[in-house]
Amino acid sequence: MADLKIRIGELEFKNPVTTASGTFGFGEEYTDFMDLNRIGGIFTKGTTIRHREGNAYPRMAETPSGMLNAVGLQNKGVDYFISSIYPRIKDYDTNIMVNVSGSTIEDYVATAEKVNELDKIPAIELNISCPNVKQGGMTFGVSCAGAAEVVRAVRKAYSKTLIVKLSPNVTDIVSIAQAVEDEGADSVSLINTLLGMAIDAETRKPYLSTITGGLSGPCVKPVALRMVWQVAKTVKIPVIGLGGIMNAADAIEFFLAGATAIQIGTANFIDPAISVKVVEGINEYLDRHGYSSIYDIIGALEA
Amino acid sequence: MADLKIRIGELEFKNPVTTASGTFGFGEEYTDFMDLNRIGGIFTKGTTIRHREGNAYPRMAETPSGMLNAVGLQNKGVDYFISSIYPRIKDYDTNIMVNVSGSTIEDYVATAEKVNELDKIPAIELNISCPNVKQGGMTFGVSCAGAAEVVRAVRKAYSKTLIVKLSPNVTDIVSIAQAVEDEGADSVSLINTLLGMAIDAETRKPYLSTITGGLSGPCVKPVALRMVWQVAKTVKIPVIGLGGIMNAADAIEFFLAGATAIQIGTANFIDPAISVKVVEGINEYLDRHGYSSIYDIIGALEA
Amino acid sequence: MVVSANIPLGSSHFLLKFTHKEKLPEMLPGQFVQVRVDNAPGVFLRRPISVNFVDKQRNELWLLVQKVGEGTRKMSEYKTGDVVNMLLPLGNSFTMPQSTQSRLLLVGGGVGIAPLLYMGSLLKQQGCNPMFLLGARSADGLMQIDDFKQFGDVFITTEDGSAGEKGFVTQHSILQQHIDKIYTCGPTPMMQAVARFAQNNAIECEASLENKMACGFGACLCCVTQTQSGHKCVCSEGPVFNTKELSWQI
Amino acid sequence: MVVSANIPLGSSHFLLKFTHKEKLPEMLPGQFVQVRVDNAPGVFLRRPISVNFVDKQRNELWLLVQKVGEGTRKMSEYKTGDVVNMLLPLGNSFTMPQSTQSRLLLVGGGVGIAPLLYMGSLLKQQGCNPMFLLGARSADGLMQIDDFKQFGDVFITTEDGSAGEKGFVTQHSILQQHIDKIYTCGPTPMMQAVARFAQNNAIECEASLENKMACGFGACLCCVTQTQSGHKCVCSEGPVFNTKELSWQI
Ligand SMILES: Cc1cc2nc3c(=O)[nH]c(=O)nc-3n(C[C@H](O)[C@H](O)[C@H](O)COP(=O)(O)OP(=O)(O)OC[C@H]3O[C@@H](n4cnc5c(N)ncnc54)[C@H](O)[C@@H]3O)c2cc1C
Ligand SMILES: Cc1cc2nc3c(=O)[nH]c(=O)nc-3n(C[C@H](O)[C@H](O)[C@H](O)COP(=O)(O)OP(=O)(O)OC[C@H]3O[C@@H](n4cnc5c(N)ncnc54)[C@H](O)[C@@H]3O)c2cc1C
Ligand SMILES: Cc1cc2nc3c(=O)[nH]c(=O)nc-3n(C[C@H](O)[C@H](O)[C@H](O)COP(=O)(O)O)c2cc1C
Ligand SMILES: Cc1cc2nc3c(=O)[nH]c(=O)nc-3n(C[C@H](O)[C@H](O)[C@H](O)COP(=O)(O)O)c2cc1C
Ligand code: FES
Ligand code: FES
């Protein structure tokens, strides 16, 4: 039984397996299938300052070894989270981290401030891939300046562990990670979804109401691994890796590439108990290879 | 029997189905499996001014619904092409287009000038995704300035149809396409491979000698379709679409998204006769839907 | 779950029967299962299929399936003894009528008849006399008619008139009679026409929707339908909705 | 190609026999086929497998396969009558000896024995007396020994000594005798050891390589090996190379 404990900033995780925002609801959806207390943490559905209806249906299309989604951050707003959801989930024995989204800096800051008050939420994940309404819809996350600006503002307002989630739809994810590190982020998580599109040849229509959407699942794993490896080589803060992890072997690949923790996203839809199985699989791998700690394989790629 | 003829710049194609550079050798490798004269065109293996040994083995890894390659432009150089390969392939009744690669502007220009002299090569495809040695390894294709610079120089040296192949590893492929159009490119082709990585969890080693490599196959189709759609909406020159096309339905999706022609890459490895089957499938689709010309579906997405 | 039978019904439908070594959990009418389709390279997500019937004695679950794409085609090849991974039961359910005296009409179109068989069986068991109105393109598309007849009167429409009355379900003469409540499942345009009829005649109407799903249990928010109170998940807040709740333009 | 038999050989190997309704094309020893493995979601590319034997009378092709991953595992489930898509024949071949009097040793390790059986059969047919030196971890890993015996003398090594001489193939006493030419196929370290032995003793040596392939017919340039004259494609310029040509550090 190897030591699976890891730290991200000030925060300790009983193991490095967490679940990705938007794929795990608020955890409650999974209690029929698994014991939430057995995983390292849960990233909640993206939460915004106000209620959002999200995009029109259809919001999903299956693609080769993956899926596109266009949920569009449907959520009831941070106040509803605080009043109605937080009380139900706060006592799980796992780290519950709120994924904070917004379209303006003020929204991000206001949401982060509210979450900062919640005793049992030790960290937020800043999703900087949402469109920046003020700057004409480009997302904050695709330029160093945009990413730095939003992180700087939130860092001032939020005192606990701040994780910034990076968009892969960029020329140079490393410099964005560095910009975010420079502004005081405690960790970066990557990748968010790749922007993609699907068309029904027979009806000549896009499958999504929004035409384009976010690609996730095993198809994106090679891109995610590459970005995690590039970023982990460069920044000093811990990297949380995700993108297409379907089993323990995939997770190990991310650790070798330099991730300190991983998130499981789309895989939860296919096997709602997968995250617990991945914890077990990592443990088995470490034992089999004679490692005593997960840290023995973090960044241990022989390249 | 619908009309499948299309034009790219001055150049007419008997049908819009071509084969992608690096996946179809110089055509000869496929003559056991299909009749080259039945497809619209062939993009040759990337050709450089001098002989290149390419990268060390291993150069390939299978990934979910795709593959990574790190061939590294192995080729015998443009002079060898002209003296030894060109005479053997020049009389095929299809458009043979040379994929021109280089690490400096001078190399691109010198190669393009030599190919310009070949009567039976009516077009080149400029692969601007190779590392720019002078500017520290960033590829020309990932910045507007870099892309514009190389296209400007080659445009002066090359008088026939000039197709520029774009890299998908960028924040904003539309502005790069525009920059290239402004410099006089007759067409853009997209996408080249996505930069990815694969790791063997058991050996803790990367699968490729170069650690990272180019991702292709059905896994990239959603990203490719999205980029083709974004670019085709914006530029006036014809767009050649590729990335993960495995069958006629996939090809139709690219036409609907705005591609005037398509290229088939990785699919050739799985079915070496696929390109002819795609021609037949497109024809069947047009007939079944009552279209008389391929132009009826180009950009016809109902969005 | 282990396949105990795979019975072709016409050229494009089939009935799968499954047994389980443990006792099947309680399943409600209108609920569905999420089938993991293995060995099908084009199928990444699970496939939602309604509970068609539950035979408690035999500990048996039935799924009635139409072949539409790679997933359902793969399922059509299942053989007795194959082990199939599924999540179940998922979703809400049709609500039982206030009184056994209610005149209940269950309206199904195409493979949408699937959940109505189980619903009909439970209604019958509770002392109701449900009526079934089943529509199809042609006689060839009618399935499980004898099964339905065990639980109530069956009325039929076909678009080509090859069986029952010619036309759409909403044109059937049974609709002239007094009805207290309608349960419906089928293609969306059909359900909307049924909902319109119900609205115009002040009849309670519940419809079972078939939106595209990724998870099937409320986690992804992909499967939403627009309702009077905003977007709701068809998988967890449905698939059954009172049609008054839905924002259908009818 | 239609599967005519699938014969398990120990726990991790199996022999597939295929027939074809048309006459099989001429196949040379050392050539290989590219198998498309359907219904296996993790398998995207074809899988290269050596020609193990060709029975011209029966129009039959044999493939000897080791289960290593999803592709070969799926192949192990093939049943008589299954239709399998494959490209064939691909690659170059072993070269025949100058004289039937040559003392020829065919050295195989693990599943690398596969192409040697067909090569041996043709050598025998042409009047040679080939000798086979076959190595495995243990007796359990020895396959097709009786088939090999039809074509020449068989010598065996196992690492654990459970059959034949204990140790590696390069330690077998047969290597004390005079040999004119060696043909080898097996794990790379084994082939390199054999090549070193051949070099030290001025013996001609041909090795069949097993690099990772995408296309299998010279189009992608993924499968290269470093040679005295630069990178060569193992699929189209190999898989058989004279070991003198290779840039092995031996
Ligand atoms: C709650 C629920 C219950 C269902 N019950 C049944 C049932 O009892 N029997 C049955 O046969 N089917 C049922 N369906 C529909 C079934 O899930 C789809 O037919 C199936 O997922 C198609 O999978 P496929 O791989 O065969 O086709 P795909 O390749 O996924 O799709 C083929 C075609 O069908 C369309 N399609 C795919 N999924 C759906 C969907 N969910 N709704 C409408 N069109 C779709 C696609 O757009 C495409 O055009 C139900 C769906 C839901 C949501
Ligand atoms: C010319 C040639 C002839 C061959 N002949 C035979 C044969 O007659 N019988 C036979 O059983 N096998 C043969 N092989 C090897 C066979 O192709 C691989 O074992 C097979 O592709 C593995 O597929 P998989 O899906 O089962 O495993 P994968 O999941 O692809 O791989 C499982 C493991 O095997 C390794 N592996 C995959 N492909 C190869 C390869 N080509 N070489 C070495 N390791 C590999 C992977 O790295 C991984 O660790 C031959 C290969 C070549 C190139
Ligand atoms: C249906 C769906 C909804 C998502 N919603 C969010 C979200 O609200 N906030 C966010 O940061 N990421 C969101 N994501 C992205 C995932 O958290 C994750 O970054 C991505 O799916 C890649 O990981 P995967 O391949 O393991 O799924 C969503 C993904 C999916 C599939
Ligand atoms: C093995 C291999 C070699 C390639 N070599 C080249 C090349 O030399 N020049 C180039 O522009 N693109 C090259 N490509 C990229 C393809 O032309 C194509 O852009 C990419 O594979 C996406 O298309 P696909 O998914 O249909 O394969 C290569 C791709 C592969 C798989
Ligand atoms: S399918 Fe995921 S919420 Fe309904
Ligand atoms: S495998 Fe493609 S060239 Fe050898």
Side-chain angles (χ1 to χ4, degrees):
Chain A
M1 185 75 200
D3 184 1
L4 292 183
K5 279 198 295 296
I6 56 115
R7 295 183 78 85
I8 303 278
E10 302 282 281
L11 186 58
E12 185 165 288
F13 291 71
K14 70 174 71 154
N15 65 56
V17 178
T18 67
T19 52
S21 175
T23 68
F24 210 70
F26 293 92
E28 300 174 301
E29 294 78 357
Y30 285 83
T31 49
D32 280 354
F33 305 110
M34 58 173 277
D35 177 0
L36 298 182
N37 301 324
R38 292 190 56 198
I39 58 175
I42 295 169
F43 289 89
T44 70
K45 175 67 200 159
T47 299
T48 52
I49 188 73
R50 273 173 297 276
H51 170 100
R52 279 177 61 109
E53 269 297 286
N55 295 317
Y57 179 85
R59 294 177 170 188
M60 191 279 284
E62 201 176 34
T63 65
S65 298
M67 62 175 279
L68 287 163
N69 89 80
V71 171
L73 291 171
Q74 175 178 330
N75 79 101
K76 296 207 163 91
V78 66
D79 291 333
Y80 181 88
F81 171 77
I82 293 171
S83 64
S84 304
I85 300 173
Y86 176 67
R88 292 202 306 260
I89 63 175
K90 70 182 175 45
D91 292 326
Y92 282 112
D93 178 24
T94 188
N95 293 331
I96 297 180
M97 294 154 287
V98 174
N99 179 274
V100 171
S101 296
S103 308
T104 64
I105 303 237
E106 298 72 43
D107 286 358
Y108 276 110
V109 169
T111 309
E113 274 170 348
K114 293 191 181 219
V115 179
N116 203 25
E117 302 303 307
L118 304 177
D119 275 357
K120 299 289 182 68
I121 304 291
I124 60 171
E125 180 182 51
L126 211 61
N127 173 12
I128 58 173
S129 302
C130 335
N132 174 352
V133 173
K134 290 216 179 137
Q135 290 182 15
M138 276 286 270
T139 69
F140 287 103
V142 300
S143 75
C144 289
E149 196 186 351
V150 55
V151 174
R152 191 179 317 132
V154 172
R155 179 71 289 179
K156 282 194 200 119
Y158 188 75
S159 61
K160 304 185 213 170
T161 301
L162 173 59
I163 301 162
V164 180
K165 185 164 180 183
L166 305 182
S167 166
N169 301 297
V170 296
T171 307
D172 183 10
I173 197 164
V174 172
S175 56
I176 294 177
Q178 285 173 315
V180 153
E181 176 179 38
D182 289 346
E183 296 298 341
D186 296 304
S187 170
V188 284
S189 55
L190 61 152
I191 58 173
N192 211 315
T193 53
L194 278 169
L195 194 62
M197 176 172 173
I199 295 173
D200 184 337
E202 288 302 314
T203 64
R204 294 184 302 284
K205 294 202 175 80
Y207 275 107
L208 302 177
S209 68
T210 47
I211 309 181
T212 62
L215 185 64
S216 64
C219 57
V220 308
K221 193 184 71 169
V223 174
L225 266 181
R226 182 264 294 183
M227 290 184 164
V228 165
W229 179 73
Q230 290 178 318
V231 169
K233 273 195 311 178
T234 315
V235 300
K236 284 174 212 74
I237 52 178
V239 172
I240 303 175
L242 74 152
I245 297 176
M246 301 300 285
N247 51 46
D250 292 338
I252 302 290
E253 293 165 26
F254 278 84
F255 294 122
L256 293 170
T260 298
I262 55 113
Q263 297 182 13
I264 297 180
T266 306
N268 293 305
F269 305 156
I270 288 144
D271 180 355
I274 189 67
S275 49
V276 168
K277 293 178 191 164
V278 170
V279 176
E280 288 164 0
I282 293 170
N283 198 55
E284 182 274 326
Y285 177 95
L286 293 174
D287 284 353
R288 183 157 51 81
H289 288 264
Y291 295 116
S292 59
S293 156
I294 182 74
Y295 276 100
D296 293 338
I297 63 167
I298 294 173
L301 185 72
E302 296 173 15
Chain B
M1 183 78 201
D3 185 1
L4 292 183
K5 279 198 294 298
I6 55 113
R7 296 183 78 85
I8 303 279
E10 302 282 281
L11 186 58
E12 187 166 285
F13 290 71
K14 69 174 72 157
N15 66 56
V17 178
T18 68
T19 52
S21 175
T23 68
F24 209 71
F26 293 92
E28 300 173 301
E29 293 79 356
Y30 285 83
T31 50
D32 281 355
F33 305 110
M34 59 171 278
D35 178 0
L36 299 181
N37 301 321
R38 292 188 57 197
I39 57 175
I42 295 169
F43 288 89
T44 70
K45 175 67 200 161
T47 299
T48 51
I49 188 71
R50 273 173 297 275
H51 170 100
R52 279 177 61 108
E53 270 296 287
N55 295 318
Y57 179 85
R59 295 178 169 186
M60 193 277 286
E62 202 175 33
T63 65
S65 298
M67 61 176 278
L68 288 164
N69 89 80
V71 171
L73 292 170
Q74 175 178 332
N75 80 103
K76 296 207 162 90
V78 67
D79 293 333
Y80 180 87
F81 171 76
I82 292 172
S83 63
S84 303
I85 301 173
Y86 176 65
R88 292 201 307 260
I89 63 174
K90 71 183 173 46
D91 292 326
Y92 281 113
D93 179 23
T94 188
N95 293 329
I96 298 180
M97 294 153 289
V98 174
N99 179 272
V100 171
S101 296
S103 308
T104 63
I105 305 241
E106 297 73 43
D107 286 357
Y108 276 109
V109 169
T111 309
E113 273 170 349
K114 292 188 185 226
V115 179
N116 202 28
E117 301 303 309
L118 304 177
D119 275 357
K120 299 289 183 65
I121 303 291
I124 59 172
E125 181 181 53
L126 212 62
N127 173 12
I128 58 174
S129 302
C130 335
N132 176 350
V133 172
K134 289 215 179 138
Q135 289 183 17
M138 274 287 268
T139 71
F140 288 103
V142 300
S143 75
C144 290
E149 195 185 353
V150 55
V151 174
R152 191 179 318 133
V154 172
R155 178 72 289 180
K156 283 195 200 120
Y158 188 74
S159 62
K160 304 183 214 171
T161 301
L162 174 59
I163 300 161
V164 180
K165 185 164 180 181
L166 306 182
S167 167
N169 302 299
V170 296
T171 308
D172 182 9
I173 197 164
V174 172
S175 58
I176 294 177
Q178 284 173 315
V180 153
E181 176 179 38
D182 289 345
E183 298 297 342
D186 296 304
S187 171
V188 285
S189 55
L190 59 154
I191 60 173
N192 212 317
T193 53
L194 279 169
L195 195 61
M197 178 170 171
I199 295 174
D200 184 337
E202 288 302 314
T203 64
R204 294 185 303 284
K205 293 203 175 79
Y207 275 106
L208 302 176
S209 69
T210 48
I211 308 181
T212 63
L215 185 64
S216 64
C219 57
V220 308
K221 192 183 71 167
V223 174
L225 264 181
R226 181 264 293 185
M227 290 186 164
V228 165
W229 179 73
Q230 290 178 319
V231 169
K233 275 196 308 180
T234 314
V235 299
K236 284 173 213 76
I237 51 178
V239 172
I240 303 175
L242 74 154
I245 297 177
M246 300 302 283
N247 52 45
D250 292 338
I252 302 290
E253 293 166 24
F254 278 84
F255 295 121
L256 294 169
T260 298
I262 56 112
Q263 297 181 14
I264 297 181
T266 305
N268 293 303
F269 305 155
I270 288 143
D271 179 356
I274 189 67
S275 49
V276 168
K277 293 177 191 164
V278 169
V279 175
E280 288 164 358
I282 293 170
N283 198 56
E284 182 274 327
Y285 177 93
L286 294 174
D287 285 353
R288 183 157 51 82
H289 287 264
Y291 295 116
S292 58
S293 157
I294 181 75
Y295 277 100
D296 293 339
I297 63 167
I298 294 172
L301 186 73
E302 294 173 17
Chain C
M1 302 284 284
V2 181
V3 177
S4 55
N6 179 347
I7 304 157
L9 301 175
S11 58
S12 56
H13 293 78
F14 54 99
L15 178 68
L16 287 172
K17 298 186 180 181
F18 295 88
T19 53
H20 196 48
K21 51 180 190 310
E22 287 156 48
K23 193 162 169 297
L24 285 173
E26 189 67 35
M27 281 180 271
L28 303 173
Q31 287 190 310
F32 66 99
V33 305
Q34 274 278 57
V35 180
R36 199 183 72 201
V37 185
D38 296 333
N39 300 320
V43 180
F44 176 62
L45 299 164
R46 288 175 182 263
R47 295 293 187 256
I49 303 289
S50 302
V51 171
N52 175 232
F53 190 70
V54 179
D55 187 330
K56 287 205 180 177
Q57 250 107 52
R58 299 194 175 159
N59 205 39
E60 204 173 68
L61 166 70
W62 296 11
L63 304 180
L64 177 70
V65 188
Q66 179 179 12
K67 282 183 251 184
V68 301
E70 187 177 342
T72 48
R73 210 148 38 223
K74 192 65 168 189
M75 291 169 68
S76 74
E77 295 165 7
Y78 286 167
K79 287 185 200 55
T80 304
D82 283 355
V83 176
V84 177
N85 180 305
M86 50 179 99
L87 305 177
L88 86 187
L90 302 171
N92 70 358
S93 64
F94 292 114
T95 56
M96 286 293 155
Q98 306 283 328
S99 137
T100 56
Q101 300 310 310
S102 296
R103 283 184 58 87
L104 307 173
L105 185 67
L106 283 65
V107 185
V111 76
I113 64 169
L116 303 184
L117 183 67
Y118 185 42
M119 179 62 182
S121 76
L122 295 183
L123 286 171
K124 171 81 178 181
Q125 197 178 301
Q126 303 208 346
C128 303
N129 285 305
M131 298 177 293
F132 301 98
L133 173 55
L134 308 177
R137 288 266 156 82
S138 69
D140 180 55
L142 293 167
M143 295 161 292
Q144 299 191 306
I145 300 300
D146 290 340
D147 295 311
F148 279 104
K149 282 186 177 157
Q150 292 181 17
F151 309 124
D153 290 338
V154 175
F155 306 92
I156 286 168
T157 61
T158 53
E159 292 177 31
D160 67 357
S162 54
E165 296 186 12
K166 181 172 169 154
F168 296 111
V169 284
T170 40
Q171 297 167 325
H172 195 282
S173 55
I174 183 74
L175 298 181
Q176 312 296 325
Q177 299 186 15
H178 174 75
I179 298 164
D180 292 309
K181 187 163 185 180
I182 293 177
Y183 302 96
T184 187
C185 185
T188 307
M190 183 208 88
M191 291 197 288
Q192 289 179 334
V194 170
R196 190 181 314 119
F197 168 82
Q199 192 181 48
N200 294 342
N201 296 277
I203 300 170
E204 280 287 287
C205 181
E206 291 182 1
S208 176
L209 271 47
E210 290 201 359
N211 278 8
K212 293 221 180 143
M213 298 181 174
C215 69
F217 44 83
C220 73
L221 310 185
C222 286
C223 64
V224 293
T225 190
Q226 193 59 259
T227 72
Q228 304 300 343
S229 45
H231 277 139
K232 285 201 169 175
C233 284
V234 169
C235 70
S236 54
E237 302 175 276
V240 178
F241 292 90
N242 190 310
T243 55
K244 276 192 299 206
E245 247 193 284
L246 297 169
S247 305
W248 279 351
Q249 323 269 240
I250 51 177
Chain D
M1 303 285 284
V2 181
V3 177
S4 56
N6 181 347
I7 304 157
L9 300 175
S11 57
S12 56
H13 293 78
F14 54 100
L15 177 68
L16 287 171
K17 297 186 180 182
F18 295 89
T19 53
H20 198 48
K21 52 179 189 307
E22 288 155 49
K23 192 162 169 297
L24 286 173
E26 189 67 35
M27 282 181 271
L28 302 174
Q31 288 191 309
F32 66 97
V33 305
Q34 274 279 57
V35 180
R36 200 182 72 203
V37 185
D38 296 333
N39 300 319
V43 180
F44 176 62
L45 298 164
R46 289 175 181 263
R47 295 295 187 254
I49 303 290
S50 302
V51 172
N52 175 231
F53 190 69
V54 179
D55 187 329
K56 286 204 179 176
Q57 250 106 53
R58 299 193 175 161
N59 205 39
E60 206 173 68
L61 166 70
W62 295 12
L63 303 179
L64 178 70
V65 188
Q66 179 178 13
K67 281 183 253 185
V68 301
E70 188 178 341
T72 49
R73 210 149 37 223
K74 192 66 168 185
M75 292 169 68
S76 75
E77 294 165 7
Y78 285 167
K79 286 186 199 55
T80 304
D82 283 356
V83 176
V84 177
N85 181 304
M86 51 179 97
L87 306 177
L88 86 185
L90 301 171
N92 68 359
S93 64
F94 292 115
T95 56
M96 286 293 155
Q98 305 284 327
S99 140
T100 56
Q101 300 311 309
S102 296
R103 284 185 59 87
L104 308 173
L105 184 68
L106 283 66
V107 185
V111 77
I113 65 167
L116 303 183
L117 183 67
Y118 185 43
M119 180 62 182
S121 76
L122 294 183
L123 286 171
K124 172 82 179 180
Q125 197 179 301
Q126 304 209 346
C128 301
N129 285 305
M131 299 177 291
F132 300 99
L133 172 55
L134 308 177
R137 288 268 156 82
S138 68
D140 180 55
L142 292 167
M143 295 161 291
Q144 297 191 307
I145 300 300
D146 291 338
D147 296 308
F148 278 104
K149 282 187 177 157
Q150 292 180 16
F151 308 123
D153 289 340
V154 174
F155 306 92
I156 286 170
T157 60
T158 53
E159 291 176 33
D160 67 358
S162 53
E165 295 185 13
K166 181 169 170 155
F168 296 111
V169 284
T170 40
Q171 297 168 323
H172 195 280
S173 54
I174 183 74
L175 296 180
Q176 313 295 326
Q177 301 187 13
H178 174 74
I179 297 164
D180 291 309
K181 187 164 184 179
I182 293 176
Y183 301 96
T184 186
C185 185
T188 306
M190 182 208 89
M191 291 197 289
Q192 290 180 332
V194 171
R196 191 182 312 121
F197 169 81
Q199 192 181 48
N200 294 342
N201 296 276
I203 301 170
E204 281 287 287
C205 180
E206 291 183 2
S208 177
L209 271 49
E210 290 200 1
N211 278 9
K212 294 220 180 144
M213 297 183 174
C215 69
F217 45 83
C220 73
L221 310 185
C222 287
C223 63
V224 293
T225 189
Q226 193 59 260
T227 72
Q228 303 301 343
S229 44
H231 277 139
K232 285 201 169 176
C233 282
V234 170
C235 70
S236 54
E237 302 175 276
V240 178
F241 292 90
N242 190 307
T243 54
K244 276 190 302 206
E245 248 193 283
L246 296 170
S247 304
W248 279 352
Q249 322 267 238
I250 52 178

